[in-house]
Amino acid sequence: MSESIFLLAIESSCDETSAAVLSNDRVLSNVIATQKVHEKYGGVVPELASRAHQQHIVPVVQQALSEATIESKQLNAVAYTQGPGLMGALLVGTSFAKSMAMALNIPLIPVHHMRAHIMAHFIRNTSDQKVPEFPFMCLTVSGGHTQIVLVNSPLDMQVVGETIDDAAGEALDKAAKVMGLPYPGGPHVDRLAKEGDAHKYVYTTPSIAGFNYSFSGLKTNLLYFLREKNAQDASFIERELNHICASYQHVVTEYLLAKLEAAAAHYNVRQVALAGGVSANSSLRSKLTRLCERRGWEAFIPPMGYCTDNAAMIGISGYYQFLQGHVGSWNDVPRASWPLEGSLR
Ligand code: KG4
Ligand code: ZN
């Protein structure tokens, strides 16, 4: 058997500073420092995110190496998130990864954050683990992106549908904010919805052609509904919180899965996956399982730890790019906006 490739991966696109060490497709360590500083502002403050990344990056990388019991001189490459994300946040990870790769004289691998969410399915947790076969259809849902991606190979991905305005995570986070819930609101909506009636209130989704989504109208729909109810009864939101969360989450998840189902059927794909932060949503996870049972398809749902931002997913993406010789150069710069399909050309 060939020798292991040891890879250090760094993620700093938004409000998580993370470092991981991989041995081929296995994760030896995956350290995540979540920035609490944003909570009181109800959203990520870019300048504070960059400062927090600067404070966290050295200890997080040191911890990742020490948990993996790997010394930096054993590393074969450094993978990092080149984009998309917040420019100041990306700069911290990019600069750190460059300096480290340069000092060690090893390749630097630029990784696309949304591709990495998808590639998290290929992290080998157990030797008998089932991974998706190509091609498969992946619904990638995070705080900043919502896409349906036809995954032909680790490097060949095609976006077949996407949101034309807000992302699904944003739609959940903004709705949560209107209801007075802390940031990020997605996990709170998920928790509160468990005790609510998903059919008590009806919110509507716009009809958009093809496999694209639109979430901005849905959010406005909820906002007007709450304003009207609140004007009649100031305790409405507090009293009905579980039902509102359940009904809103219901419409978001049904909408997401209806388009995913249509896209998978259209492309005649029988393996369907979830990726990104919103794939931690319990309702979305169980609904996808049921959809695949009904259709005779196979569902791939990432382990909870690999749904939200983490460096292990950057590492697995970097590993497959490394195998194909897709390494970067010292001149590479962070890319705040970066189309998924163009990222490996
Ligand atoms: O992938 P991610 O960690 O960061 C981005 O790349 O954006 O996704 C963060 C998003 C947030 O919108 C957050 O509210 C949402 O994922 N999220 C959830 C849950 N856990 C995280 N949304 C719904 N239910 C959850 N359990
Ligand atoms: Zn993400």
Side-chain angles (χ1 to χ4, degrees):
M1 220 177 97
S2 60
E3 266 182 46
S4 283
I5 291 164
F6 291 115
L7 208 140
L8 171 71
I10 291 164
E11 153 64 28
S12 75
S13 65
C14 191
D15 57 346
E16 250 99 24
T17 317
S18 181
V21 177
L22 274 74
S23 163
N24 295 342
D25 55 359
R26 286 170 196 276
V27 176
L28 303 181
S29 63
N30 184 33
V31 179
I32 304 169
T34 302
Q35 303 177 359
K36 296 278 173 214
V37 63
H38 309 287
E39 269 170 23
K40 60 176 177 285
Y41 300 99
V44 178
V45 183
E47 178 57 28
L48 296 181
S50 326
R51 284 190 222 168
H53 283 304
Q54 282 171 8
Q55 286 160 0
H56 292 159
I57 192 118
V58 173
V60 162
V61 169
Q62 275 172 346
Q63 195 182 331
L65 288 167
S66 103
E67 281 182 19
T69 58
I70 291 289
E71 287 180 42
S72 53
K73 62 172 187 275
Q74 291 174 268
L75 295 171
N76 299 96
V78 181
Y80 71 101
T81 309
Q82 192 185 3
L86 301 170
M87 184 47 98
L90 290 167
L91 262 170
V92 178
T94 306
S95 316
F96 189 91
K98 265 190 197 176
S99 333
M100 189 129 179
M102 217 177 244
L104 295 167
N105 197 23
I106 54 176
L108 182 66
I109 309 174
V111 173
H112 188 283
H113 182 88
M114 298 314 293
R115 282 177 176 265
H117 271 299
I118 298 173
M119 289 305 292
H121 285 283
F122 295 90
I123 293 171
R124 191 74 62 174
N125 299 303
T126 55
S127 50
D128 59 352
Q129 183 193 331
K130 221 169 169 308
V131 296
E133 283 164 25
F134 301 107
F136 67 95
M137 199 61 81
C138 188
L139 172 67
T140 312
V141 267
S142 74
H145 297 84
T146 297
Q147 292 181 321
I148 300 177
V149 183
L150 178 63
V151 188
N152 296 310
S153 78
L155 270 53
D156 178 6
M157 301 186 189
Q158 183 189 346
V159 178
V160 300
E162 62 190 330
T163 180
I164 59 165
D165 41 52
D166 292 351
E170 204 176 346
L172 289 165
D173 293 343
K174 285 181 177 168
K177 194 171 180 178
V178 176
M179 292 185 272
L181 299 171
Y183 179 85
H188 296 282
V189 172
D190 189 358
R191 177 177 51 80
L192 291 160
K194 290 197 171 93
E195 308 293 323
D197 175 358
H199 300 282
K200 181 150 187 187
Y201 300 108
V202 177
Y203 306 111
T204 47
T205 46
S207 53
I208 301 286
F211 308 128
N212 285 342
Y213 298 101
S214 166
F215 284 100
S216 67
L218 177 63
K219 175 196 66 195
T220 316
N221 193 214
L222 177 77
L223 184 66
Y224 288 160
F225 166 84
L226 293 178
R227 263 193 206 152
E228 194 189 309
K229 293 288 186 186
N230 202 45
Q232 294 159 5
D233 169 7
S235 65
F236 176 79
I237 297 181
E238 197 186 332
R239 203 183 57 246
E240 292 296 289
L241 193 57
N242 297 92
H243 302 311
I244 304 166
C245 287
S247 304
Y248 189 77
Q249 177 178 274
H250 173 72
V251 72
V252 170
T253 50
E254 289 291 319
Y255 185 43
L256 285 170
L257 292 178
K259 296 261 180 176
L260 176 65
E261 180 178 6
H266 179 84
Y267 286 90
N268 205 13
V269 168
R270 305 173 64 80
Q271 300 212 339
V272 182
L274 295 179
V278 183
S279 63
N281 185 266
S282 56
S283 167
L284 188 64
R285 295 167 82 90
S286 58
K287 280 181 181 172
L288 182 74
T289 308
R290 288 202 296 276
L291 161 69
C292 288
E293 279 165 7
R294 175 166 57 76
R295 279 283 198 163
W297 295 346
E298 212 167 346
F300 288 88
I301 298 170
M304 287 304 243
Y306 296 142
C307 289
T308 45
D309 291 348
N310 65 87
M313 69 183 197
I314 305 301
I316 193 76
S317 257
Y319 170 67
Y320 279 95
Q321 283 179 231
F322 184 80
L323 292 182
Q324 304 282 327
H326 269 279
V327 298
S329 90
W330 305 124
N331 299 327
D332 289 343
V333 290
R335 305 185 65 161
S337 61
W338 195 18
L340 183 146
E341 285 179 25
S343 62
L344 282 177
R345 296 217 180 101

